[in-house]
Amino acid sequence: MEKQLTVIRVKEDCFSITDTLSVMIVSVTTLQMRSVRRWDTFMGREIGPVVDLYESQSSYDIGLDDVVCSSDIWDSCTSTTSHNCEHSEDVHLACALEDPLMFRLVDENGETIDSDSSERGLLLHYGHTVCDDSFSDNSADAICKEMGYIHGARNWTSGNLYESQSSYDIGLDDVVCSSDIWDSCTSTTSHNCEHSEDVHLACTLEEPVIFSIVNENGEPIHSGSGERGLLLFNGNTVCDDSFTDNSADAICREMGYALGSADWASGQFYDIQSSYEIGLD
């Protein structure tokens, strides 16, 4: 059976996991093989004599040596086209095709959730699940922002919610973030978790509406009506402790009413109030 092999004529001197190289794809059929070194691109380490060499290598010239890179960007690298090598020093490289993104969300079928959706899904880190140990709202916000959702997380939970979870390895644990920026986070790829601790995450597409006013049926009151209604803060009610006319004016202006509030009162006026959490005091 024909296989696709990535072959690079590069000597291994100074070669490291940060080195980024242009590659050539060749078709390989039946070849004599012998053991060489392999690089694990995800873990950034060399993992033993596992991959093999090919008879066809002798048909190539050695074209690059002393590839030294200070980062994982090719512009940071130096090299030379002269060499003192044998083909036993040829570099073999596998490039990551699956899960090039650090984080992504998948649905119950393992399909990636579109970036324009606020659907909650199973959080994957390089194709592995994330354990909820030490996971917090900061962790959720930081990861959503790292994925490009500038307003952070909408909500998150953990649990064995999909049958497909058991098909993944658990790849990240103890995600501790001191702020909502990923650079503030620490984590570990070792874990002591079960899939019942997998994180499921939903990210916010738009800036959340902080305040809103609803009628007795829970329907939003239009901004031009002037009707009094139940004040909500991120979907939860607001308690009247220490609430003043200044509070009312400030909130109305925050919602775009330039003249502030017309009046306010407190009490249980609607049957639906008990269906809301109290969210601000």
Side-chain angles (χ1 to χ4, degrees), residues 42-147:
F42 284 142
M43 298 303 293
R45 58 186 174 88
E46 180 187 340
I47 47 175
V50 181
V51 184
D52 298 320
L53 287 177
Y54 308 101
E55 280 186 346
S56 62
Q57 286 179 235
S58 60
S59 66
Y60 295 95
D61 291 330
I62 298 171
L64 203 62
D65 194 11
D66 295 324
V67 181
V68 179
C69 300
S70 60
S71 77
D72 59 359
I73 304 301
W74 180 247
D75 287 346
S76 76
C77 304
T78 60
S79 60
T80 177
T81 54
S82 61
H83 71 88
N84 60 344
C85 307
E86 302 293 335
H87 283 296
S88 60
E89 300 170 90
D90 287 345
V91 171
H92 293 240
L93 180 67
C95 295
L97 296 177
E98 188 176 357
D99 285 306
L101 300 176
M102 182 187 297
F103 293 107
R104 66 186 178 104
L105 301 175
V106 297
D107 61 21
E108 59 187 347
N109 299 313
E111 300 292 330
T112 300
I113 293 174
D114 292 335
S115 59
D116 60 354
S117 170
S118 59
E119 177 186 356
R120 190 173 67 195
L122 177 64
L123 175 62
L124 298 182
H125 175 259
Y126 290 127
H128 306 309
T129 65
V130 177
C131 182
D132 67 358
D133 290 350
S134 304
F135 203 89
S136 67
D137 289 346
N138 273 348
S139 310
D141 283 334
I143 289 171
C144 282
K145 288 183 177 181
E146 187 69 13
M147 289 192 287

Side-chain angles (χ1 to χ4, degrees), residues 213-221 227-230 269-273 275-276:
I213 299 173
V214 299
N215 63 19
E216 60 186 348
N217 299 313
E219 298 166 342
I221 293 175
E227 178 186 355
R228 190 175 69 191
L230 178 64
F269 302 138
Y270 302 155
D271 289 340
I272 61 166
Q273 286 177 234
S275 66
Y276 295 97

Side-chain angles (χ1 to χ4, degrees), residues 5 30 58 67-68 110-111 113 134 149 158 160 168 179 206 217 238:
L5 170 71
T30 304
S58 60
V67 181
V68 179
E111 300 292 330
I113 293 174
S134 304
Y149 297 88
S158 59
N160 201 353
Y168 296 97
S179 76
E206 299 177 357
N217 299 313
V238 178

Side-chain angles (χ1 to χ4, degrees), residues 249-269:
D249 284 337
I251 289 171
C252 282
R253 288 194 172 98
E254 184 68 16
M255 288 191 288
Y257 296 88
L259 299 178
S261 71
D263 72 290
W264 69 274
S266 61
Q268 181 130 8
F269 302 138

Side-chain angles (χ1 to χ4, degrees), residues 17-63:
I17 192 59
T18 59
D19 300 340
T20 305
L21 304 172
S22 299
V23 301
M24 174 176 62
I25 305 297
V26 298
S27 293
V28 179
T29 53
T30 304
L31 296 171
Q32 186 68 29
M33 301 182 176
R34 57 196 172 97
S35 180
V36 291
R37 299 160 73 183
R38 184 171 67 145
W39 293 95
D40 181 330
T41 56
F42 284 142
M43 298 303 293
R45 58 186 174 88
E46 180 187 340
I47 47 175
V50 181
V51 184
D52 298 320
L53 287 177
Y54 308 101
E55 280 186 346
S56 62
Q57 286 179 235
S58 60
S59 66
Y60 295 95
D61 291 330
I62 298 171

